[in-house]
Amino acid sequence: MYKVNTDLNKFSYKNIDLANARVIVRTCLNVSVDSNGKVTDATRLYESLPLIKDLALNAQNVILTAHLGRPEQRERKSSFWNVAEMLSQSLRENHIEVILVDDLTNEWIDKMTHNINSSESKKVYLLENIRFFEGEESKDKTERMMFAKKLSMLADYFINDAFADYRESASTYDIATLLPSYLGPVFLKEVEALSMFNNVDILVSVLGGAKLSEKLDALNSLAEISEKVVVGGAMAYTLLKAMGINVGKSLIEEDKLDVAKEVIQKYGDKLVLPVDHVVANEFTEEAARSAYNTSDQSIPEDTIAIDIGWRTIKLFEETIVLGNYVLWNGPMGVFEWDKSSKGTLSIGKAIEKNGPAYKLAGGGDSIAAINKLQLKGFNHISTGGGAMLSFLAYEKFPTLDVIINR
Ligand code: AMP
């Protein structure tokens, strides 16, 4: 688990003398969009707004960088055209203009290097999806650095407010090696909330989702500090198979059976696994409509488990109430289908019902369940599922380290 050994307030962007500053900000605008790039859920944009507004009103110049989805090329679906419009609308009452910058031409860089905003017209420059730019995610470090240098010419300070975008790239990591760098409020709030887990008594961790391999480090690390680790979703079936239990045609990772056995050997007494399942004959929503509850832990030969069963829900609920702290990441089943969303929704409710506990959730599906049920009792909802697990699993968090250990 990551441990903060310094006073993070020293690295808050509030320490910058904004009146004279040109700032470049890595923010999180990775909102949900439809196939045309139209925003369908703007939660992340709204979370980023307070910082953007503060900077736009008080700094000399503001450049925003962010990514949207995982584009392989420039495409409308991953363009910020609609995000820029929404930002513009949100900032209109403050008379702040939002300008979407399509490309980083030398002329534009030159203009920005010499341009200082006049105080009458406040502008925010939003660079197009940063992943459209060559170098941002390049495996070649020199290429990444070259792009970071280009970005750094546009500002005097770098502010990272994108906790969720924790992978090292030019705009999240390399640029912080080139400019005096600070943290934004979203990033700081995440670190503060997750750091609570350095010192917990009676933690129940609830993990779900598709792949054991993706959450293995987090599972190991959480097992060390948890009283119980509840595991649902497809990742549970790799563990069940490793225990010699029949999993039928369920989604498992054959090549992870050995590590699954090690996890069971080491943490078997802490793991709480499904004891029954909702199974379908095929992995389709149509087939899911005739899904049924198994009578025990064994999954019939020709079926696929798509959710945890009712006995498991009860067992998980009984485990969750034991925790003074409860941490949740990942769905208990194929949450996207009505017939197999019950497990995830029930677990969300069960965590909420554990009133006195400190409750933390993260990850798209867990957040979707919380929103669907309008659960209000969580103490912190992390903006980044992968980032949250990475923070809890490892002693390093590169996009933070590069700023506080400079
Ligand atoms: P992750 O991104 O790892 O949190 O996984 C989320 C995905 O896991 C969701 O799209 C779920 O549909 C999927 N998932 C959860 N349980 C199962 C299951 N039993 N079989 C197949 N996929 C599942």
Side-chain angles (χ1 to χ4, degrees):
M1 174 162 305
Y2 191 90
K3 281 198 178 64
V4 179
N5 295 318
T6 179
D7 174 14
L8 275 185
N9 289 320
K10 283 191 306 199
F11 299 95
S12 160
Y13 83 99
K14 296 265 183 204
N15 293 295
I16 303 174
D17 174 12
L18 288 176
N20 298 309
R22 298 176 313 148
V23 293
I24 184 160
V25 187
R26 180 57 153 92
T27 184
C28 184
L29 298 174
N30 194 18
V31 292
S32 307
V33 290
D34 67 13
S35 57
N36 200 28
K38 196 161 169 44
V39 178
T40 53
D41 181 317
T43 311
R44 282 178 162 159
L45 186 150
Y46 295 132
E47 276 166 354
S48 306
L49 262 185
L51 174 67
I52 297 175
K53 209 179 264 184
D54 187 15
L55 295 174
L57 291 174
N58 297 303
Q60 284 288 355
N61 230 344
V62 184
I63 316 248
L64 302 177
T65 68
H67 86 275
L68 181 56
R70 292 180 184 156
E72 302 209 330
Q73 66 208 13
R74 279 187 182 250
E75 54 188 11
R76 187 159 168 87
K77 179 179 185 285
S78 315
S79 158
F80 275 144
W81 67 270
N82 191 215
V83 168
E85 283 175 3
M86 289 189 75
L87 258 185
S88 217
Q89 258 164 28
S90 310
L91 297 171
R92 192 159 294 151
E93 60 176 357
N94 300 94
H95 307 288
I96 299 162
E97 197 185 336
V98 177
I99 298 165
L100 182 63
V101 180
D102 206 41
D103 207 356
L104 282 177
T105 60
N106 288 338
E107 294 81 62
W108 192 77
I109 294 177
D110 200 42
K111 191 177 124 202
M112 292 312 290
T113 316
H114 299 104
N115 167 36
I116 300 293
N117 251 344
S118 70
S119 52
E120 308 95 67
S121 93
K122 293 286 183 190
K123 293 190 184 80
V124 167
Y125 295 91
L126 167 64
L127 295 194
E128 246 306 2
N129 189 341
I130 200 74
R131 292 187 176 171
F132 285 175
F133 294 85
E134 228 180 289
E136 165 66 3
E137 292 192 291
S138 177
K139 291 205 174 69
D140 179 348
K141 279 206 165 178
T142 326
E143 238 175 66
R144 242 174 58 187
M145 195 48 125
M146 265 166 59
F147 182 53
K149 277 201 178 126
K150 230 178 184 182
L151 294 174
S152 72
M153 283 159 67
L154 302 167
D156 311 308
Y157 296 95
F158 169 59
I159 301 170
N160 193 347
D161 202 27
F163 173 82
D165 306 329
Y166 66 108
R167 295 213 163 81
E168 290 161 65
S169 69
S171 73
T172 61
Y173 182 90
D174 300 286
I175 190 167
T177 66
L178 300 168
L179 288 175
S181 299
Y182 292 85
L183 298 164
V186 173
F187 206 129
L188 282 168
K189 194 167 152 223
E190 290 278 1
V191 173
E192 196 188 318
L194 297 178
S195 294
M196 299 246 330
F197 285 76
N198 268 312
N199 210 347
V200 286
D201 87 279
I202 321 191
L203 166 65
V204 173
S205 299
V206 183
L207 291 179
K211 287 189 173 165
L212 179 66
S213 55
E214 281 176 11
K215 302 196 177 166
L216 198 61
D217 290 334
L219 173 59
N220 278 312
S221 165
L222 286 172
E224 284 292 329
I225 57 165
S226 302
E227 196 79 3
K228 294 285 174 198
V229 183
V230 171
V231 186
M235 59 187 280
Y237 309 128
T238 304
L239 292 165
L240 289 181
K241 172 133 194 196
M243 288 164 65
I245 289 158
N246 198 350
V247 295
K249 293 190 292 179
S250 304
L251 180 69
I252 66 147
E253 293 171 282
E254 286 287 346
D255 59 337
K256 290 288 170 288
L257 287 173
D258 285 345
V259 273
K261 276 184 194 149
E262 282 169 26
V263 172
I264 289 156
Q265 244 168 25
K266 201 159 172 204
Y267 300 114
D269 55 334
K270 290 191 173 183
L271 292 181
V272 184
L273 297 171
V275 289
D276 67 342
H277 321 272
V278 172
V279 298
N281 292 329
E282 275 176 61
F283 193 74
T284 60
E285 190 165 10
E286 177 66 33
R289 291 200 188 101
S290 357
Y292 61 93
N293 209 113
T294 60
S295 53
D296 58 25
Q297 201 171 28
S298 172
I299 297 170
E301 212 52 73
D302 48 0
T303 65
I304 302 163
I306 54 171
D307 200 5
I308 51 175
W310 65 268
R311 294 178 196 86
T312 306
I313 292 178
K314 205 159 162 274
L315 171 68
F316 286 5
E317 284 169 350
E318 285 163 7
T319 312
I320 286 165
V321 292
L322 300 176
N324 291 340
Y325 292 79
V326 183
L327 180 156
W328 178 30
N329 172 279
M332 298 291 107
V334 187
F335 170 71
E336 297 88 339
W337 301 339
D338 256 3
K339 189 74 197 222
S340 44
S341 64
K342 190 169 173 211
T344 307
L345 295 176
S346 307
I347 291 319
K349 261 189 231 156
I351 297 174
E352 157 108 329
K353 258 205 236 146
N354 185 349
Y358 182 93
K359 298 176 273 288
L360 165 75
D365 295 302
S366 308
I367 294 175
I370 289 170
N371 289 339
K372 197 163 174 176
L373 294 165
Q374 299 187 334
L375 302 178
K376 300 272 179 257
F378 280 76
N379 298 76
H380 182 68
I381 297 176
S382 178
T383 50
M388 168 177 121
L389 290 183
S390 185
F391 193 92
L392 296 169
Y394 305 113
E395 281 161 16
K396 289 190 173 142
F397 200 85
T399 56
L400 177 60
D401 291 327
V402 70
I403 292 179
I404 64 178
N405 298 333
R406 250 185 107 186

